[in-house]
Amino acid sequence: MNRFICSGRMLGGSAILLSTIIIVWIVFVNPPQTRILHSSSPQTVSPTHNSSSPWNPSDVRCSGLLDTSHIQVVVKTGSNIIYDKLPTQLLTALRCCQDPLIFADSEQDIGPYHVYDVLANVNETLKATHPDFAYYRTIKDYLSSGRDIRLLRTSRQAAWDLDKYKFIHMLVETWERRPGHDWYVFVEADTYLFWGNLVQWLARMDPAKPLYLGSAATFQSEKFAHGGSGVILSREAMKRVLDGDADLAARYDEHMHDEIYGDYVLMKALKEKGVELSNKWPMMQGEKQNTLPFGPGPNTGSRHGCQPLITMHSVTPVDVNAMWNYEQRRKHPQEPLLIGELYDYFMGRALPSQRDDWYNLSDDLMFRAPGVEGQRQKSPADMTPVEKEAYSSFEQCQKACHEHSKCFQFVYHDQTCGFSFSYRLGYQRDPEGDEGPYKSGWILDKIEKDREDHPCKAPEWL
């Protein structure tokens, strides 16, 4: 009996050891990302969409809103940065989005979320031979060999050369996978999306009209929606561009090598079908909370303050988390969040009159040493006596800003004084190499008066 029991233990131990060896072999010889890439039918491995994703309406921004299933959010990112930026977004800013569609330059899963390879349908010869796709081939090699894809973070130019191919394919893939939604909101992994504002704003417009919304950038004298600030297309716009044009992506792929900006090419594809851009800046922003300008700015009639925010760009995971936490603390989370509200929380609470090793982005008007030329520089003949000395020291720069009626803040660096006609926080900037330090200042009484003189009576929807 004892021998039988002992033999049973030995057999059980052998079975456990054998099982362990098999599991280790599966994981290391055929890791998860390799199994996805080698699958002849990836769609059978992963769900066709993220219907099982952890949509969590306990987020205060999600409650009290009308049905939002007609809004499709689409996220474009890159494999080299996907683990740095996307997880924080999914845990915070994108929590209210039902079934977000995520595209990158490789197919994989992030927890319960499936990430589609947006370039999967690009011509195979192009992908195998074209220099623009060398980075794409490197990504495939990294994933198939089980290497850490994050090591490609520094491949910025190669990633940029590849990224421009994603835009048209993203449009095509979105329409195929999620047809019939009223609105399609395209953002990137470093875009912050103000969900409550977005839902209220889109409810004011008609998706049966061919609408192309974004923050206008200019290239070759043509305006296009800056991709990082978000691109919003109505149902009718998607139909006009995509229905009956199966060769759209392939046609643009042929000439993409000669292009620089994928979002510019997207504009051309839309314009080809009669869909024109409607500029929604400053609601859709290329700035974030510490670089967003408040107040009048250099151009009259474009005050930043009373417009509801829809997007911000270039946000870090720290920025995303800070903004999301602020949204959770708002007393009235269902009311539109206006630009000026961010001043009160992120800038105005503890704004000093000056700060060392800091750059507050003051560059609307520049004063340089005699004989030094540069952009946005005032002619010496037009300078006041105080302005003529502004280049000489931080104190003289400060005095000149006090004197100038439109100057709210300034920065001094290496005999250069910069004025700003709006006010914003900026960021730390330590000296590099032989350059001198940056020192920033704010004229607090001017800022406070501007805030008092321009209260927001109602949201200024564009």
Side-chain angles (χ1 to χ4, degrees):
M1 183 69 175
N2 288 339
R3 286 198 303 273
F4 179 79
I5 293 174
C6 289
S7 298
R9 287 174 180 169
M10 290 177 65
L11 287 171
S14 299
I16 292 170
L17 178 60
L18 180 60
S19 299
T20 302
I21 292 171
I22 292 172
I23 291 170
V24 170
W25 182 85
I26 290 172
V27 170
F28 285 94
V29 176
N30 191 25
Q33 59 264 51
T34 307
R35 293 201 300 276
I36 292 174
L37 289 172
H38 290 176
S39 171
S40 59
S41 179
Q43 300 306 319
T44 63
V45 176
S46 300
T48 55
H49 58 85
N50 297 316
S51 58
S52 61
S53 62
W55 179 63
N56 191 341
S58 63
D59 186 315
V60 299
R61 303 167 308 145
C62 312
S63 59
L65 296 174
L66 300 174
D67 176 38
T68 60
S69 60
H70 62 294
I71 302 173
Q72 178 63 60
V73 173
V74 183
V75 183
K76 178 179 71 67
T77 186
S79 299
N80 61 332
I81 58 171
I82 195 168
Y83 295 104
D84 295 335
K85 297 183 178 182
L86 189 59
T88 302
Q89 289 275 18
L90 294 172
L91 287 169
T92 56
L94 298 178
R95 282 177 71 180
C96 299
C97 305
Q98 298 183 49
D99 198 13
L101 190 55
I102 305 170
F103 290 116
D105 33 33
S106 65
E107 186 166 5
Q108 55 187 292
D109 292 301
I110 303 292
Y113 294 91
H114 189 63
V115 180
Y116 295 94
D117 180 358
V118 72
L119 302 174
N121 293 325
V122 173
N123 178 274
E124 292 299 330
T125 301
L126 188 68
K127 289 191 290 187
T129 61
H130 200 285
D132 284 348
F133 281 84
Y135 178 64
Y136 183 76
R137 297 190 289 273
T138 299
I139 291 171
K140 297 300 182 187
D141 179 62
Y142 265 64
L143 292 175
S144 64
S145 61
R147 299 176 69 184
D148 188 348
I149 197 71
R150 296 175 301 165
L151 297 176
L152 295 176
R153 284 192 194 101
T154 57
S155 305
R156 294 181 180 178
Q157 186 57 51
W160 176 267
D161 292 339
L162 184 64
D163 187 73
K164 60 189 177 185
Y165 289 86
K166 297 176 185 177
F167 286 83
I168 304 295
H169 284 275
M170 175 176 65
L171 218 64
V172 173
E173 288 287 316
T174 296
W175 193 236
E176 289 181 356
R177 296 181 184 278
R178 304 286 194 278
H181 289 272
D182 285 346
W183 298 102
Y184 293 85
V185 181
F186 298 90
V187 295
E188 301 190 358
D190 61 348
T191 307
Y192 190 91
L193 186 61
F194 291 87
W195 182 251
N197 284 0
L198 173 73
V199 174
Q200 295 180 60
W201 185 45
L202 294 181
R204 304 167 69 91
M205 293 180 282
D206 184 0
K209 295 180 179 179
L211 299 178
Y212 165 37
L213 315 175
S215 176
T218 303
F219 179 63
Q220 295 182 344
S221 301
E222 292 187 280
K223 293 188 180 298
F224 63 98
H226 172 234
S229 303
V231 177
I232 300 177
L233 296 174
S234 65
R235 180 183 66 247
E236 179 60 24
M238 293 285 281
K239 287 176 62 177
R240 287 198 185 186
V241 175
L242 297 165
D243 281 1
D245 193 352
D247 298 326
L248 177 70
R251 190 167 69 250
Y252 276 92
D253 282 346
E254 292 178 4
H255 308 288
M256 194 65 72
H257 174 70
D258 299 323
E259 300 289 352
I260 300 175
Y261 306 110
D263 38 10
Y264 171 75
V265 177
L266 177 61
M267 175 275 295
K268 293 205 292 187
L270 291 163
K271 193 172 183 178
E272 177 187 322
K273 303 297 177 63
V275 181
E276 299 282 349
L277 173 65
S278 178
N279 183 17
K280 297 303 179 181
W281 178 90
M283 290 174 60
M284 300 179 73
Q285 270 288 339
E287 304 293 342
K288 56 183 181 177
Q289 53 260 51
N290 65 310
T291 64
L292 188 67
F294 304 99
N299 302 312
T300 58
S302 59
R303 290 188 62 88
H304 278 60
C306 299
Q307 303 90 346
L309 271 168
I310 303 300
T311 59
M312 297 191 306
H313 183 230
S314 296
V315 291
T316 66
V318 174
D319 296 326
V320 170
N321 189 56
M323 183 58 67
W324 181 82
N325 275 300
Y326 170 66
E327 288 205 78
Q328 302 306 303
R329 297 190 185 103
R330 295 180 71 217
K331 291 182 179 179
H332 305 288
Q334 303 310 320
E335 293 183 1
L337 192 159
L338 309 184
I339 291 175
E341 191 176 328
L342 298 190
Y343 170 84
D344 295 329
Y345 186 80
F346 289 99
M347 182 176 175
R349 292 186 301 167
L351 185 65
S353 60
Q354 56 186 261
R355 182 175 286 178
D356 292 323
D357 297 322
W358 197 265
Y359 180 52
N360 64 7
L361 300 114
S362 296
D363 62 359
D364 290 329
L365 184 61
M366 306 300 295
F367 299 89
R368 299 177 176 89
V372 179
E373 298 295 329
Q375 293 183 335
R376 301 174 184 173
Q377 187 162 311
K378 195 170 185 178
S379 169
D382 297 329
M383 292 183 190
T384 68
V386 174
E387 289 175 341
K388 289 180 180 179
E389 299 298 321
Y391 76 91
S392 62
S393 69
F394 175 84
E395 290 73 22
Q396 288 298 122
C397 182
Q398 182 181 45
K399 187 182 295 185
C401 183
H402 264 292
E403 178 189 75
H404 196 290
S405 61
K406 295 176 65 178
C407 183
F408 288 100
Q409 63 178 47
F410 60 97
V411 63
Y412 186 79
H413 164 71
D414 281 350
Q415 290 195 312
T416 300
C417 172
F419 286 3
S420 178
F421 301 149
S422 56
Y423 36 98
R424 46 185 162 179
L425 187 59
Y427 50 86
Q428 182 172 331
R429 182 161 180 173
D430 297 320
E432 296 180 2
D434 297 330
E435 72 174 8
Y438 282 80
K439 187 173 183 178
S440 294
W442 295 264
I443 312 300
L444 300 181
D445 56 342
K446 285 189 179 182
I447 293 174
E448 187 60 31
K449 187 176 188 308
D450 184 73
R451 299 280 296 161
E452 291 175 356
D453 290 347
H454 299 91
C456 293
K457 298 178 181 179
E460 296 177 1
W461 299 99
L462 300 179

